[in-house]
Amino acid sequence: MKEILLCKCGELVLKGLNRHKFEDRLRRTLYWRLKKLGEFRIHGCQSTIYVEPLDPAISMDETVEVCRRVFGIVAISRAAVCEKDIDDICKKAGEYLAPLLRETRTFKVETRRSDKQFPLTSPQISGEVGGYLSDLFPHLKPQMDAPQVTVKVEVREEYAFVSGGVIPGAGGLPTGTSGRGMLLLSGGIDSPAAGWMMAKRGLELGAVHFFSYPYTSMEAKQKVLDLAAVLAQWSGKLTVSVVPFTHIQNEIRSHCREDYFTLVMRRFMMRIAQRVAKRCGAKALVTGESLGQVASQTMDALAVSGDVTDLPVLRPVIGMDKEEIVRIARHIGTFETSILPYEDCCTVFTPRHPKTRPHVEEVREMEQALDVEGLVRRAMEGREVVKLR
């Protein structure tokens, strides 16, 4: 039996005259993500994207797994393709939905008839299919209010479809429709979650990671690349710039007060991330900072670190507590990698008593002892670029 996926577009229907641009981007994204599985016909109609495999050998389970990670899709239905004939619709509904209907007790049928040339109205189609299924599965009881299963019938211009279950999609906006952003990616829990949240809002992501070898190990670097690979399953292609940071941390330790180590380090990270962002056309920085979680994330500390960039700094988890962020990390599949015991550069030179209420003027004065431009230039020259899909 031929199957097809019906992908509902969610908030894209609210985009007015720009709606076609969002839907075009969504279709292109689906095309490139599904290309590894085979050839598909992907087309849209009335807030639904139809994903139709052209080869019967293509796994629909794998197709669903890809589609449910594509931003812009709020729900996915696996559907059987029927002839535009009420007898074939009833027969396919009974065969295709048999495993589901055998395990349930109550159901109803909803019909959407886009092809007004079809001889039966939507209520008539629902009645015919509902009566057929009641005869085929005598244990089923029709229930219009909150049934266990809703059988959906759609009659379109080319085919008819029957489906019985809905798989949640990723939601949000198609990747790239909100521009590009540069994620400061550590090996922790927060930054991958922050990147996922902004990708969900249509941001095409790049990432920058600061690597302090030999203070941090090669395993720590690989951990971050593994996190980026998981994130790329949602965001699509992802380019990670691995920036050497050891020389900067050594200079900070030699010339700055210990309680300011983290603050000065964060300012260098923001400077470098902005350089990387502007080289690749990103128009915002994305961080995993959560207000008050650590000393470098107080209101005053955030003002100090943001002082060195003229790009907007997006902090999507700023108002979340740790448990909320962990829930996102588990959902997107990064949590188990994030908790692997490999330190990143942020934990190497953590001061014993970090400054929580710093003043921008004090930090600027302290940085006068450093060759800021030279240190940033050296870091940019030594960066390694890793491209992931």
Side-chain angles (χ1 to χ4, degrees):
M1 189 179 303
K2 184 177 181 179
E3 276 191 292
I4 192 172
L5 296 189
L6 311 180
C7 302
K8 301 298 182 180
C9 296
E11 68 179 280
L12 271 63
V13 301
L14 305 176
K15 294 304 178 182
L17 296 177
N18 290 323
R19 175 174 164 180
H20 71 280
K21 296 179 181 178
F22 290 83
E23 292 179 341
D24 287 347
R25 177 58 72 99
L26 178 55
R27 284 193 291 269
R28 290 200 302 272
T29 300
L30 283 168
Y31 173 80
W32 286 109
R33 299 276 192 94
L34 291 169
K35 196 173 182 180
K36 63 183 179 182
L37 300 181
E39 292 297 320
F40 291 81
R41 181 187 176 208
I42 300 172
H43 56 104
C45 180
Q46 297 180 337
S47 76
T48 301
I49 301 293
Y50 297 86
V51 178
E52 182 179 354
L54 299 181
D55 181 351
I58 291 175
S59 167
M60 291 303 287
D61 290 337
E62 292 182 21
T63 304
V64 169
E65 281 301 302
V66 172
C67 291
R68 76 177 187 86
R69 289 185 171 90
V70 174
F71 294 118
I73 296 173
V74 296
I76 302 166
S77 295
R78 291 178 69 157
V81 178
C82 312
E83 298 296 329
K84 289 170 60 176
D85 172 80
I86 190 61
D87 291 333
D88 192 58
I89 292 172
C90 290
K91 180 182 177 183
K92 292 282 179 61
E95 294 175 357
Y96 185 65
L97 301 177
L100 180 64
L101 295 176
R102 289 193 188 104
E103 302 298 323
T104 193
R105 289 287 177 264
T106 61
F107 83 111
K108 73 174 179 179
V109 180
E110 289 183 354
T111 300
R112 186 174 183 179
R113 185 185 63 135
S114 300
D115 181 5
K116 301 307 180 184
Q117 300 302 313
F118 193 77
L120 301 180
T121 65
S122 293
Q124 288 172 333
I125 296 170
S126 294
E128 290 286 338
V129 175
Y132 179 87
L133 294 177
S134 293
D135 292 340
L136 191 61
F137 303 99
H139 68 283
L140 284 179
K141 293 183 179 180
Q143 182 172 308
M144 298 302 104
D145 184 26
Q148 291 176 303
V149 171
T150 298
V151 175
K152 294 188 177 182
V153 180
E154 296 193 37
V155 180
R156 301 284 187 173
E157 285 70 17
E158 189 174 353
Y159 300 117
F161 310 101
V162 293
S163 61
V166 175
I167 301 163
L173 298 174
T175 300
T177 54
S178 297
R180 294 181 180 176
M182 184 58 57
L183 172 66
L184 280 74
L185 181 62
S186 72
I189 297 170
D190 302 343
S191 57
W196 178 84
M197 290 179 70
M198 294 315 305
K200 184 176 181 179
R201 297 311 305 159
L203 209 62
E204 182 180 331
L205 291 179
V208 57
H209 173 67
F210 299 94
F211 183 49
S212 295
Y213 186 81
Y215 299 119
T216 54
S217 65
M218 297 302 294
E219 288 83 1
K221 173 184 171 182
Q222 186 58 50
K223 170 185 171 180
V224 171
L225 294 178
D226 290 343
L227 285 172
V230 175
L231 193 55
Q233 294 177 13
W234 299 88
S235 67
K237 62 181 180 181
L238 183 61
T239 299
V240 183
S241 294
V242 181
V243 176
F245 206 63
T246 310
H247 64 290
I248 293 176
Q249 289 184 303
N250 286 333
E251 286 295 300
I252 293 172
R253 183 169 60 175
S254 299
H255 295 92
C256 299
R257 282 170 39 188
E258 182 186 354
D259 54 343
Y260 280 87
F261 280 0
T262 303
L263 290 165
V264 178
M265 180 181 70
R266 290 291 299 175
R267 284 166 65 88
F268 271 97
M269 289 180 174
M270 299 296 272
R271 288 185 180 102
I272 295 168
Q274 177 168 272
R275 296 276 182 99
V276 177
K278 290 187 174 181
R279 286 194 179 187
C280 67
K283 296 182 179 179
L285 303 182
V286 181
T287 75
E289 292 161 315
S290 173
L291 187 62
Q293 187 178 113
V294 293
S296 64
Q297 295 173 15
T298 63
M299 287 285 284
D300 298 293
L302 292 173
V304 168
S305 61
D307 172 61
V308 297
T309 177
D310 56 21
L311 290 179
V313 181
L314 307 179
R315 299 179 172 99
V317 301
I318 192 71
M320 293 184 176
D321 62 33
K322 200 67 176 183
E323 285 304 313
E324 291 173 305
I325 300 171
V326 166
R327 275 199 296 273
I328 293 173
R330 290 186 185 278
H331 170 65
I332 65 178
T334 56
F335 179 75
E336 295 300 329
T337 302
S338 291
I339 62 174
L340 292 174
Y342 302 119
E343 291 185 325
D344 60 32
C345 68
C346 294
T347 58
V348 174
F349 295 118
T350 303
R352 290 166 293 180
H353 304 289
K355 192 79 170 178
T356 58
R357 294 185 178 178
H359 298 286
V360 172
E361 293 77 12
E362 291 178 329
V363 182
R364 288 174 179 169
E365 183 178 349
M366 198 172 302
E367 286 180 339
Q368 291 180 4
L370 301 170
D371 177 13
V372 173
E373 181 58 32
L375 291 171
V376 170
R377 189 187 312 114
R378 180 179 168 187
M380 289 295 293
E381 290 171 352
R383 69 190 178 108
E384 174 190 358
V385 177
V386 180
K387 296 183 177 181
L388 302 169
R389 279 191 178 274

